[in-house]
Amino acid sequence: MEYIDNYRHKGLRRELVEAVRDKGIEDQEVLDALNHVPRHLFVDNVFDRRIYDDTAFPIEKGQTISQPFTVAYQTHLLQVEKGHKVLEIGTGSGYQAAVLAEMGARVFTVERQKRLYQKTKELLPEIGYSTIKCFYGDGYKGLPAFSPFNRIIVTAAVYDVPGALFQQLKVGGQMVVPIGGDFSQKMARITRVADDDFDQETFEEFRFVPMLSGK
Ligand code: SAH
């Protein structure tokens, strides 16, 4: 398959970035990352025309590619720095992982749906994101073999933050995670201030698909 990113896509992307900026995201590094990632290549062609609208879209297996505003919001809260080791729970389409890679992060991403894992693992290197490491597994367990992480981003909703994720965060590290029930969650940022001391800040409401256990 051939992947095309033409002037029309680039133009739509610039408009999307302006729309996200208008909604209150002023972090220029995040906006630049959004401007670089060819979002239309992460979904099936049917959505090609509307994929640069600021909305979520269905992918396979009842899952979604997050709304660009949501991706920008989470990425901004994460305060990623170049070279950071970042764990993402919920690879989905791979779009959020690509945005993190554009920010200079070393991305490790976990997906529990085998089909999505396989599809995204194949896609990412083909469109230039060969440094992202994809894993098939249950995000409730994190990725102990590669821990600790500077940052952890959870892109599915949890009632309770999995204990493994607390443990796999570096001291001084931060985790951004939507916490709440099925219909709405509050975005939270958790900082590991010491070995056994965590701080939590909460932000706006969002609606994510649930994080399910097992694979
Ligand atoms: N970050 C994605 C959006 C993901 S939607 C993107 O940019 O496209 C949430 C994803 O989390 C879904 O693909 C879902 O299958 C996955 N998921 C849900 N529970 C999980 C778990 N326990 N471990 C890993 N992935 C999980």
Side-chain angles (χ1 to χ4, degrees), residues 59 63-66 71 88-97 110-113 116 137-140 155-156 209-214:
I59 48 176
Q63 302 305 322
T64 55
I65 176 172
S66 301
V71 171
E88 179 193 28
I89 306 299
T91 311
S93 69
Y95 178 71
Q96 170 75 73
V110 184
E111 173 58 55
R112 70 179 283 280
Q113 294 272 5
L116 282 175
D138 179 2
Y140 275 92
T155 66
V209 296
M211 184 162 160
L212 305 171
S213 60

Side-chain angles (χ1 to χ4, degrees), residues 15-178:
E15 286 174 26
L16 169 64
V17 168
E18 286 318 309
V20 171
R21 191 201 304 273
D22 287 347
K23 290 179 186 171
I25 306 290
E26 286 166 2
D27 185 329
Q28 195 57 44
E29 277 182 61
V30 172
L31 294 173
D32 286 347
L34 242 55
N35 198 31
H36 280 124
V37 181
R39 182 167 168 87
H40 63 284
L41 301 181
F42 291 78
V43 291
D44 295 328
N45 288 338
V46 260
F47 295 117
D48 196 0
R49 188 76 212 132
R50 290 180 48 223
I51 189 60
Y52 285 106
D53 293 351
D54 186 25
T55 49
F57 283 102
I59 48 176
E60 284 182 49
K61 300 281 172 196
Q63 302 305 322
T64 55
I65 176 172
S66 301
Q67 181 181 350
F69 173 77
T70 307
V71 171
Y73 193 95
Q74 275 196 296
T75 307
H76 169 63
L77 285 185
L78 203 60
Q79 301 182 303
V80 183
E81 289 168 22
K82 286 202 174 55
H84 267 172
K85 241 168 96 179
V86 179
L87 171 64
E88 179 193 28
I89 306 299
T91 311
S93 69
Y95 178 71
Q96 170 75 73
V99 169
L100 293 167
E102 291 282 356
M103 304 281 294
R106 290 179 286 148
V107 185
F108 297 75
T109 182
V110 184
E111 173 58 55
R112 70 179 283 280
Q113 294 272 5
K114 194 161 206 176
R115 169 90 188 110
L116 282 175
Y117 155 75
Q118 282 169 336
K119 196 175 171 185
T120 301
K121 184 185 162 69
E122 251 174 60
L123 173 77
L124 287 171
E126 286 180 16
I127 61 173
Y129 295 105
S130 50
T131 63
I132 298 173
K133 297 193 168 48
C134 294
F135 298 85
Y136 169 56
D138 179 2
Y140 275 92
K141 300 195 173 97
L143 271 185
F146 296 89
S147 73
F149 297 94
N150 300 99
R151 299 287 186 264
I152 298 178
I153 178 170
V154 182
T155 66
V158 297
Y159 288 102
D160 292 306
V161 180
L165 300 186
F166 282 108
Q167 291 319 313
Q168 291 172 30
L169 198 57
K170 268 195 179 154
V171 172
Q174 297 185 308
M175 163 161 48
V176 172
V177 48

